[in-house]
Amino acid sequence: RKEVEQDPGPFNVPEGATVAFNCTYSNSASQSFFWYRQDCRKEPKLLMSVYSSGNEDGRFTAQLNRASQYISLLIRDSKLSDSATYLCVVNTGNTPLVFGKGTRLSVIA
Amino acid sequence: ETGVTQSPTHLIKTRGQQVTLRCSSQSGHNTVSWYQQALGQGPQFIFQYYREEENGRGNFPPRFSGLQFPNYSSELNVNALELDDSALYLCASSQIYRGSTEAFFGQGTRLTVV
């Protein structure tokens, strides 16, 4: 089983739609959780950290369920500029980041 | 911009050759990690350097080696290149040992082995 597993993509959604990405992780000792965004042929960039209480940043909401080892990202009112690959990332204290395979999102006009 | 720079941005090498990729970390960061990202995959951890010493390694063969310098910049060396080494190589700098685990990535080096 892979350490971090994500929904297979691609997700093709119309502008204005709400889309949700799911991610599970296998290491129960994982302490930090992130969503990164990666545009085509570019480097990953931090979208948001994920906290146990859940957190929101504008149209983006991240949730963490430690008991189920599950992370989610919700994007409301999708924009064309949201088209990218979204990477679920975890790490355990001072260990390196462990990335999921990523889920590709295409927002269509 | 993250302040992390990698060079070169693109590179074409022949199977069997050796390659050196370079990374200048963000000012104040003491940890550099290298990742390999094949097409359609997430980045895979190669190794990490903290204060000039390797302190973590992923599932990569010994022909992948590295260095970190006193100014915290870093090199990734790959010997005896294989076709499957074709990928985007990403460098990430961070201050893991100062309580922060956020990593900042460079723009990557796209290596093609022919």
Side-chain angles (χ1 to χ4, degrees):
Chain A
R1 181 185 172 188
K2 289 191 181 294
E3 284 194 68
V4 179
E5 296 203 60
Q6 296 186 237
D7 280 348
F11 282 51
N12 300 311
V13 303
E15 274 188 290
T18 296
V19 60
F21 301 139
N22 302 314
C23 168
T24 57
Y25 59 95
S26 61
N27 187 347
S28 59
S30 296
Q31 297 178 8
S32 302
F33 310 89
F34 310 93
W35 284 100
Y36 275 72
R37 170 191 169 131
Q38 187 171 28
D39 292 300
C40 187
R41 304 181 75 82
K42 300 284 190 180
E43 75 275 19
K45 293 184 179 178
L46 179 66
L47 178 65
M48 57 197 305
S49 300
V50 187
Y51 304 113
S52 296
S53 55
N55 48 300
E56 188 173 308
D57 183 3
R59 298 180 293 109
F60 299 83
T61 301
Q63 297 278 354
L64 167 65
N65 184 321
R66 287 185 183 270
S68 302
Q69 296 181 199
Y70 169 91
I71 307 162
S72 66
L73 176 68
L74 184 76
I75 305 176
R76 292 181 300 277
D77 188 23
S78 298
K79 310 290 185 192
L80 295 175
S81 58
D82 294 333
S83 297
T85 295
Y86 290 83
L87 297 159
C88 177
V89 185
V90 306
N91 89 331
T92 307
N94 296 328
T95 60
L97 300 176
V98 180
F99 287 81
K101 191 174 176 179
T103 302
R104 189 155 55 92
L105 171 66
S106 291
V107 181
I108 305 161
Chain B
E1 297 300 325
T2 64
V4 181
T5 58
Q6 292 186 241
S7 61
T9 55
H10 296 82
L11 198 55
I12 299 175
K13 288 287 192 178
T14 303
R15 190 170 50 182
Q17 285 188 311
Q18 179 267 343
V19 68
T20 296
L21 311 181
R22 295 179 174 83
C23 171
S24 296
S25 58
Q26 188 172 23
S27 177
H29 284 182
N30 53 23
T31 302
V32 172
S33 305
W34 285 91
Y35 293 81
Q36 180 196 67
Q37 186 175 23
L39 197 62
Q41 303 293 318
Q44 298 295 309
F45 173 68
I46 303 175
F47 44 58
Q48 178 174 286
Y49 279 83
Y50 170 65
R51 292 186 175 177
E52 302 177 56
E53 290 195 6
E54 184 182 300
N55 75 334
R57 190 177 183 92
N59 189 26
F60 280 80
R63 58 189 186 85
F64 285 78
S65 63
L67 285 172
Q68 187 181 29
F69 301 100
N71 65 355
Y72 301 133
S73 65
S74 177
E75 284 183 356
L76 163 65
N77 300 292
V78 187
N79 294 321
L81 283 166
E82 300 176 0
L83 297 179
D84 285 349
D85 295 334
S86 296
L88 179 67
Y89 287 85
L90 295 160
C91 163
S93 80
S94 57
Q95 296 186 92
I96 291 177
Y97 291 93
R98 293 182 185 176
S100 166
T101 57
E102 182 175 350
F104 297 87
F105 285 86
Q107 82 281 16
T109 295
R110 189 163 298 278
L111 172 66
T112 303
V113 182
V114 298

